[in-house]
Amino acid sequence: MTEYLLVALALLGVLIIGGLSLVVPRLRRRPQPPLPRTEVDTRTEEDLAGPPVEAPEAELTTGVVVEAPPAPPVEVPQVEVPEPTAGRLVRLRSRLSRSQNVFGKGLLGLLSRDRLDEDTWEEIEDSLITADVGIDATREIVDRLRERTRVLGTRTGDELRALLAAELVNALDPSLDRSLRTAPKEGVPAVVLVVGVNGAGKTTTCGKIARVLVADGRSVLLGAADTFRAAAADQLETWGGRVGAETVRGPEAADPASVAFDAVKRGIDTGVDTVLIDTAGRLQNKVGLMDELGKVKRVVEKHGPIDETLLILDATTGQNGLEQARVFTEAVNVTGVVLTKLDGTAKGGIVIAVQRKLGIPVKLVGLGEGKDDLAPFDPAQFVDALLGTEPLARDA
Ligand SMILES: Nc1nc2c(ncn2[C@@H]2O[C@H](COP(=O)(O)OP(=O)(O)OP(=O)(O)O)[C@@H](O)[C@H]2O)c(=O)[nH]1
Ligand SMILES: [Mg+2]
């Protein structure tokens, strides 16, 4: 009996030991709950956080490739085809509406009075001076008009209108050469330097000229020598990008002369037709600005002479702008004036004053903020637009 009992006990012992051996390892494998932190806890943050989670490489790459949304289609920049320049001044003539009120309605109204007495001539003079024609030019125009109406005995509205138009065209000196020198010579690109006070419209005009040139089948490179503001180079690059023109720019606050030099070098290397260089125009330190422009000119001319230096003038600044303009003509050899914002002023007569005071032809006029709102300047067409007369009727 005791034997049976012993055997039974032995079996029971074996069973208990076997069972334990199965259960204990499982218990051991259970994750340990983190120990509460105590003041004597010596574990580091890393211990507490556990081992760093490392995503398996294969999974990461395949995950991205498989699950990422399809890549957006590569955008091919759309190169725009700008408007042709021929006839732009005629198309944009309505933009001169404010000036048209002074010249067309005002002056022509005065001239069509029954009696052209002293008072009327004085009013005519005042209108021209108000339109920023300038005192000297106004005197000359009015004196000649008075003389011709007296000699010719002109009285009809049409005749007086024709006489006034002829005098205004004459005051704009139609014999001046207004062509832009933008054609390459013997495979070397033409270099055009653009200068003017800040806000005059330099960058915009560079962009508009680039469009004109591209429309004429030329290749263009832009040089962002306005390193004063980073945004200036971005602005220029945007204009260039639209017509597929490369922009050379330097780091912010780089030496403008070295950027201009690099731009011309790049233009020579890539064989473009024209390099347009935009410059800074801040006026806080006039002497500094003029020194800087003088340096840009000298450094660029190591590659060869600059073909065209355009002074950008804001028509709405009137006679004040003329004083600033003179400073530029002393620093660089200005070969042409671009009068911008003529759409925003009643003082269209500033064109006459600018040419007279500076002795430099107005070559282009800006007539709006639109991409193609820049027109070659033509005295006869301009006067027709000012007076509200039909160019075709006059030419006929
Ligand atoms: N209405 C009108 N606005 C113009 C014309 N030309 C330029 N502008 C505007 O004038 C403002 C200044 O033009 P920008 O080209 O930036 O002038 P900027 O001379 O380069 O100025 P800075 O780089 O600051 O020296 C912009 O808002 C242009 O859109 C124009 O012919 N008519
Ligand atoms: Mg600018």
Side-chain angles (χ1 to χ4, degrees):
M1 198 51 198
T2 33
E3 275 176 356
Y4 281 120
L5 211 68
L6 277 173
V7 170
L9 274 174
L11 270 172
L12 196 69
V14 168
L15 273 173
I16 287 170
I17 290 166
L20 275 177
S21 66
L22 280 172
V23 172
V24 168
R26 266 193 216 154
L27 282 175
R28 278 210 197 113
R29 262 186 251 128
R30 266 198 205 151
Q32 300 289 310
L35 292 171
R37 271 191 114 181
T38 62
E39 281 183 20
V40 287
D41 193 346
T42 53
R43 291 169 302 162
T44 63
E45 291 287 342
E46 263 173 32
D47 294 338
L48 288 167
V53 181
E54 277 181 29
E57 243 174 53
E59 208 176 293
L60 195 77
T61 40
T62 49
V64 169
V65 171
V66 176
E67 289 172 23
V74 180
E75 270 188 36
V76 180
Q78 288 284 307
V79 175
E80 297 174 14
V81 181
E83 263 180 37
T85 50
R88 270 199 200 177
L89 196 54
V90 174
R91 275 203 303 282
L92 295 169
R93 54 188 277 143
S94 62
R95 301 284 176 84
L96 291 166
S97 60
R98 289 196 219 180
S99 293
Q100 275 161 3
N101 283 337
V102 178
F103 285 88
K105 297 207 178 90
L107 284 174
L108 291 176
L110 288 170
L111 282 170
S112 60
R113 282 187 184 170
D114 284 341
R115 275 176 50 79
L116 285 174
D117 55 17
E118 257 333 288
D119 286 349
T120 307
W121 283 114
E122 246 171 55
E123 279 182 65
I124 292 171
E125 254 186 38
D126 289 348
S127 300
L128 288 169
I129 289 169
T130 311
D132 259 347
V133 169
I135 292 173
D136 295 346
T138 296
R139 293 250 163 82
E140 219 171 82
I141 291 168
V142 172
D143 285 352
R144 286 173 59 108
L145 255 182
R146 287 185 77 156
E147 181 64 11
R148 291 186 76 184
T149 46
R150 194 181 61 77
V151 171
L152 299 170
T154 318
R155 286 300 325 144
T156 72
D158 279 354
E159 283 168 337
L160 284 170
R161 180 190 295 244
L163 277 186
L164 174 62
E167 287 313 324
L168 291 173
V169 170
N170 181 56
L172 284 166
D173 199 347
S175 67
L176 292 175
D177 177 10
R178 292 170 207 277
S179 58
L180 282 187
R181 286 183 290 270
T182 53
K185 284 186 301 287
E186 290 152 21
V188 177
V191 176
V192 180
L193 184 65
V194 174
V195 302
V197 298
N198 56 332
K202 292 179 298 298
T203 308
T204 308
T205 303
C206 270
K208 288 175 177 174
I209 294 175
R211 296 177 67 82
V212 167
L213 295 174
V214 168
D216 289 346
R218 296 261 174 78
S219 55
V220 177
L221 183 139
L222 299 170
D226 178 357
T227 56
F228 193 57
R229 296 178 300 122
D234 295 341
Q235 191 190 351
L236 191 68
E237 205 162 25
T238 304
W239 277 97
R242 291 195 195 117
V243 288
E246 180 184 351
T247 301
V248 169
R249 50 191 295 175
E252 204 177 339
D255 178 11
S258 92
V259 177
F261 181 88
D262 289 349
V264 177
K265 181 168 189 316
R266 175 84 183 146
I268 293 169
D269 292 348
T270 57
V272 297
D273 297 324
T274 317
V275 177
L276 293 172
I277 300 170
D278 184 28
T279 61
R282 68 200 185 280
L283 255 196
Q284 290 91 320
N285 180 353
K286 215 186 275 182
V287 177
L289 176 63
M290 295 310 143
D291 285 352
E292 183 179 290
L293 283 178
K295 185 177 170 196
V296 168
K297 176 182 183 293
R298 283 194 309 279
V299 171
V300 164
E301 290 197 326
K302 290 185 179 178
H303 290 297
I306 292 175
D307 298 83
E308 190 85 61
T309 300
L310 294 175
L311 173 61
I312 314 299
L313 288 181
D314 176 344
T316 64
T317 58
Q319 302 288 324
N320 293 338
L322 286 184
E323 284 314 308
Q324 296 169 341
R326 204 191 302 278
V327 185
F328 283 91
T329 61
E330 284 159 15
V332 285
N333 174 32
V334 178
T335 53
V337 170
V338 181
L339 212 52
T340 60
K341 311 187 195 181
L342 267 174
D343 53 308
T345 178
K347 297 171 179 288
I350 191 74
V351 186
I352 294 173
V354 164
Q355 282 198 169
R356 217 187 149 91
K357 282 236 164 126
L358 303 178
I360 299 166
V362 171
K363 294 192 167 177
L364 297 162
V365 285
L367 289 160
E369 293 193 84
K371 293 177 284 189
D372 292 321
D373 294 344
L374 180 79
F377 182 70
D378 175 272
Q381 284 178 1
F382 184 71
V383 168
D384 282 325
L386 284 185
L387 298 180
T389 45
E390 283 304 319
L392 292 177
R394 231 177 64 88
D395 290 347

